[in-house]
Amino acid sequence: MDDIESAAEVRYTGEKGLEDALRGADALFVYDFLSTAVPRAWHAADRMRWVHIASAGVDPVMFPELRESDVVLTNSRGVFDDSIAEYVLGVVIAFAKDLPRSLELQRQVRWQHRETERVGGKRALVVGTGPIGRAIARMLRATGMSVAGMGRRAREADPDFGSVHASAELTRWLPEFDYVVAVAPLTGQTKNMFDAPAFAAMKPGARFVNVGRGELVVTADLIAALRGGELAGAALDVFDTEPLPPDSPLWSMENVLISPHMSGDFVGWRNTLVEVFAENFRRWHTGRPLRNVVDKQLGYVPSGQ
Amino acid sequence: MDDIESAAEVRYTGEKGLEDALRGADALFVYDFLSTAVPRAWHAADRMRWVHIASAGVDPVMFPELRESDVVLTNSRGVFDDSIAEYVLGVVIAFAKDLPRSLELQRQVRWQHRETERVGGKRALVVGTGPIGRAIARMLRATGMSVAGMGRRAREADPDFGSVHASAELTRWLPEFDYVVAVAPLTGQTKNMFDAPAFAAMKPGARFVNVGRGELVVTADLIAALRGGELAGAALDVFDTEPLPPDSPLWSMENVLISPHMSGDFVGWRNTLVEVFAENFRRWHTGRPLRNVVDKQLGYVPSGQ
């Protein structure tokens, strides 16, 4: 932050103090992207022109006052792509190779041979065609999986996905896939898209991976599908309430892998996030176009930016 | 086996009865490749011409009487390549993403964010340049790792490994790698190659994966290296004694992943193993050259076969 401090007055604040800090400020760097403090303090933002968020998903700052304002919103697109893709591939292989069971048997000092699944040849649907979804698709494909994407519009010959199916046809396509990966931005269109009909449409034995947002999923329906065997497993890095409440049945389900919203957070990520902000600050300060400008109507950075 | 039964007298036997079954037999299919019964009953093999083993490693049948005889030995090269490669990639990502700890925290209903490692850019040494090692190299490379091989002779521009280093220089090369994967055949040259000096030479934070044979490793030295922190972790699918004895300290070491010699055993492998034997039987029966003929002096199928 040194370069920025030499070019601007920088105010560091937590939730307490945010109102005072916003007053008179031209730009806001939302470093704790899960904080809900910004909407509540926003009324004090009397000359705000630019908000940058240290995340790929911008849903935490898509409150109406910001959305409908002229304030420019930018995100940290690109930082998490490859680490999230590695995480997704890791949980796919963990499911296929029965790794959680191996660890449990190890804890019990039990030697129990099993036959496990191949990954190669299996089919994965990546729901979300932004840069993270693309990195996931490339990674899964590299191991011999067959991958398709799902986005707003169906299209063919996509460089990363091959086929992209339309999300309006979700339940039509779900039966074809062994793994379904949710990585769509959270918008009015995608909220609750994984509900009971979606889980019912999945192939027997299918597994669900969520590295997007918890609110893409109707959690009660997910739990019912796991209990009912419609879903063979789920790897969940995000939840509609975070931290996941201790009384959630997900914690103790055998076929569920829980991680605490960390799939993208590689060693060094915090510095990288600050660098992404600093680069945009230099652009802003010198009047050049900002990178990763969010289309506030869509709720994400459109492709091609 | 139907085709074979219509072309030959087939005797099925376990350990008990093996002597009687060997008497007068022309060919032997060692289906339970870990059985130690064959050397003990071998004296009864009075007209044996061909032995086929349902595994890639042939060390269980490399006893002197077979080795020095004219009996042709073939193996099941190729069956396990891709599933073992998937397993290796899975444990590499599990280490990088701290997956065992996530499962442990889940069991404790604890939400604990951590920063985890990238896989891309990390360096892996694959010790063993047969088809399984090659499949591992291709798989790790596909995820953005940098891979080298280790074999009897150093060479460059290998299609799968790029550089292959000479195993005589093991300790010279070990310091350069984040992951060391043992998949060499067990021979007089490779037995105990991973010993205290080897583990001491590894990079701080390095992890060791063994999908070859337990006897490639001096187990006491491995345990000491894990305890002493010279090794940050180990994923072990094979052991010098199998099943791994209940009193082995490996079972309860936090940074160790144990699986019961199953990394290659995908659903359907048993049928595939019989098909490989049946194809060779057809060749043998019709006087055509056998596939996967082991060089009994080397202890494996030389490349190019």
Side-chain angles (χ1 to χ4, degrees):
Chain A
M1 294 292 292
D2 289 354
D3 286 358
I4 299 171
E5 287 186 20
S6 66
E9 180 200 338
V10 179
R11 302 169 182 168
Y12 297 91
T13 182
E15 266 191 64
K16 200 175 137 94
L18 181 59
E19 269 187 48
D20 286 346
L22 283 175
R23 220 160 265 130
D26 298 293
L28 172 66
F29 177 24
V30 183
Y31 183 68
D32 175 6
F33 75 97
L34 286 174
S35 165
T36 57
V38 177
R40 282 184 280 115
W42 188 252
H43 61 91
D46 51 4
R47 53 176 286 167
M48 189 63 63
R49 291 183 289 146
W50 169 41
V51 172
H52 180 88
I53 187 164
S55 63
V58 298
D59 47 289
V61 289
M62 290 304 275
F63 51 96
E65 295 81 356
L66 175 53
R67 194 167 182 155
E68 285 147 27
S69 72
D70 292 332
V71 173
V72 174
L73 175 63
T74 57
N75 76 353
S76 302
R77 180 181 170 100
V79 173
F80 305 96
D81 303 357
D82 292 332
S83 48
I84 294 181
E86 291 171 352
Y87 170 90
V88 170
L89 177 58
V91 295
V92 164
I93 304 182
F95 279 129
K97 302 302 172 188
D98 208 19
L99 189 58
R101 179 86 183 132
S102 289
L103 285 162
E104 176 60 23
L105 289 166
Q106 180 176 344
R107 231 169 49 82
Q108 300 172 11
V109 192
R110 285 173 63 195
W111 179 273
Q112 191 177 99
H113 183 275
R114 290 101 64 211
E115 294 177 353
T116 62
E117 297 171 20
R118 287 292 316 277
V119 174
K122 292 292 193 298
R123 302 200 64 192
L125 178 68
V126 179
V127 180
T129 57
I132 301 176
R134 290 180 178 278
I136 293 168
R138 289 191 298 269
M139 187 72 83
L140 298 183
R141 229 179 218 190
T143 64
M145 295 182 84
S146 159
V147 178
M150 178 160 279
R152 278 186 307 151
R153 292 180 317 278
R155 50 201 191 269
E156 292 300 320
D158 181 279
D160 297 315
F161 295 105
S163 298
V164 175
H165 306 305
S167 48
E169 298 185 303
L170 178 67
T171 53
R172 175 185 152 194
W173 289 105
L174 283 174
E176 300 201 4
F177 295 93
D178 303 290
Y179 294 90
V180 178
V181 182
V183 64
L186 177 63
T187 68
Q189 281 71 52
T190 61
K191 190 171 177 178
N192 294 337
M193 71 185 289
F194 292 99
D195 56 6
F199 293 122
M202 290 187 190
K203 187 172 171 173
R207 285 140 183 158
F208 177 67
V209 179
N210 193 357
V211 287
R213 284 286 186 259
E215 295 91 333
L216 298 174
V217 177
V218 180
T219 303
D221 293 358
L222 170 63
I223 292 168
L226 286 161
R227 283 189 173 141
E230 284 162 327
L231 259 184
L236 308 170
D237 189 53
V238 290
F239 303 88
D240 54 7
T241 307
E242 295 182 6
L244 181 65
D247 61 356
S248 168
L250 290 168
W251 284 108
S252 57
M253 296 180 88
E254 242 192 24
N255 46 358
V256 172
L257 306 182
I258 288 176
S259 53
H261 203 142
M262 62 179 233
S263 68
D265 304 345
F266 57 94
V267 176
W269 68 303
R270 292 179 193 276
N271 285 341
T272 307
L273 285 170
V274 173
E275 281 161 22
V276 168
F277 170 64
E279 165 60 19
N280 247 355
F281 177 82
R282 281 188 291 273
R283 289 167 169 266
W284 185 68
H285 192 61
T286 54
R288 286 176 293 151
L290 293 181
R291 299 180 64 178
N292 307 340
V293 175
V294 173
D295 179 324
K296 291 189 290 180
Q297 296 320 305
L298 290 174
Y300 51 87
V301 179
S303 61
Q305 264 226 40
Chain B
M1 293 290 294
D2 288 354
D3 287 357
I4 299 171
E5 287 186 19
S6 66
E9 179 201 340
V10 178
R11 303 168 181 168
Y12 298 90
T13 182
E15 264 191 63
K16 200 175 137 91
L18 180 59
E19 269 187 47
D20 285 345
L22 283 175
R23 219 160 267 132
D26 298 292
L28 171 67
F29 177 23
V30 182
Y31 183 68
D32 175 6
F33 75 96
L34 286 174
S35 164
T36 56
V38 177
R40 281 182 281 115
W42 188 252
H43 61 91
D46 51 5
R47 52 176 287 167
M48 189 63 64
R49 291 184 288 147
W50 169 41
V51 172
H52 180 88
I53 186 163
S55 63
V58 297
D59 47 289
V61 289
M62 290 302 275
F63 50 97
E65 295 82 354
L66 175 54
R67 191 167 185 158
E68 285 147 27
S69 71
D70 291 331
V71 173
V72 174
L73 176 63
T74 57
N75 76 353
S76 301
R77 179 182 169 101
V79 173
F80 306 96
D81 303 358
D82 293 333
S83 48
I84 294 182
E86 292 171 353
Y87 170 90
V88 170
L89 177 58
V91 295
V92 164
I93 305 183
F95 279 130
K97 303 301 172 189
D98 208 19
L99 189 59
R101 178 88 183 131
S102 289
L103 286 161
E104 176 60 25
L105 289 166
Q106 179 176 344
R107 231 170 47 83
Q108 300 173 9
V109 192
R110 284 172 63 195
W111 179 273
Q112 191 177 98
H113 183 276
R114 290 100 66 210
E115 295 177 353
T116 61
E117 297 169 20
R118 289 292 317 276
V119 173
K122 292 292 193 298
R123 303 200 64 193
L125 178 68
V126 178
V127 180
T129 56
I132 303 176
R134 290 180 179 280
I136 293 169
R138 289 191 297 269
M139 187 73 82
L140 298 183
R141 230 180 217 188
T143 64
M145 294 182 83
S146 159
V147 178
M150 178 161 279
R152 279 185 308 153
R153 292 182 316 277
R155 50 200 190 269
E156 292 301 319
D158 181 278
D160 297 314
F161 294 106
S163 299
V164 175
H165 305 305
S167 48
E169 298 185 305
L170 178 66
T171 53
R172 174 186 151 193
W173 289 106
L174 283 174
E176 300 199 5
F177 294 92
D178 303 292
Y179 294 90
V180 178
V181 182
V183 64
L186 178 62
T187 68
Q189 281 70 52
T190 61
K191 190 173 176 174
N192 293 337
M193 72 185 289
F194 293 100
D195 55 7
F199 293 123
M202 289 187 190
K203 188 171 170 173
R207 286 142 182 156
F208 177 67
V209 179
N210 193 358
V211 287
R213 284 288 184 258
E215 295 91 333
L216 300 173
V217 177
V218 181
T219 303
D221 293 358
L222 170 63
I223 291 169
L226 286 161
R227 283 190 172 140
E230 283 161 329
L231 260 184
L236 307 171
D237 189 53
V238 290
F239 303 89
D240 52 8
T241 307
E242 295 182 6
L244 181 65
D247 61 356
S248 168
L250 290 169
W251 283 109
S252 58
M253 296 180 89
E254 243 193 24
N255 45 358
V256 171
L257 306 182
I258 288 176
S259 53
H261 203 140
M262 61 179 235
S263 69
D265 304 346
F266 57 95
V267 175
W269 69 303
R270 291 179 193 276
N271 285 341
T272 306
L273 285 171
V274 172
E275 280 162 21
V276 167
F277 170 64
E279 165 60 20
N280 246 357
F281 177 83
R282 282 188 290 274
R283 289 167 170 265
W284 185 68
H285 192 60
T286 54
R288 286 178 292 151
L290 293 180
R291 298 179 65 177
N292 307 338
V293 175
V294 173
D295 178 326
K296 292 190 288 180
Q297 296 320 304
L298 290 174
Y300 51 87
V301 179
S303 61
Q305 266 226 38

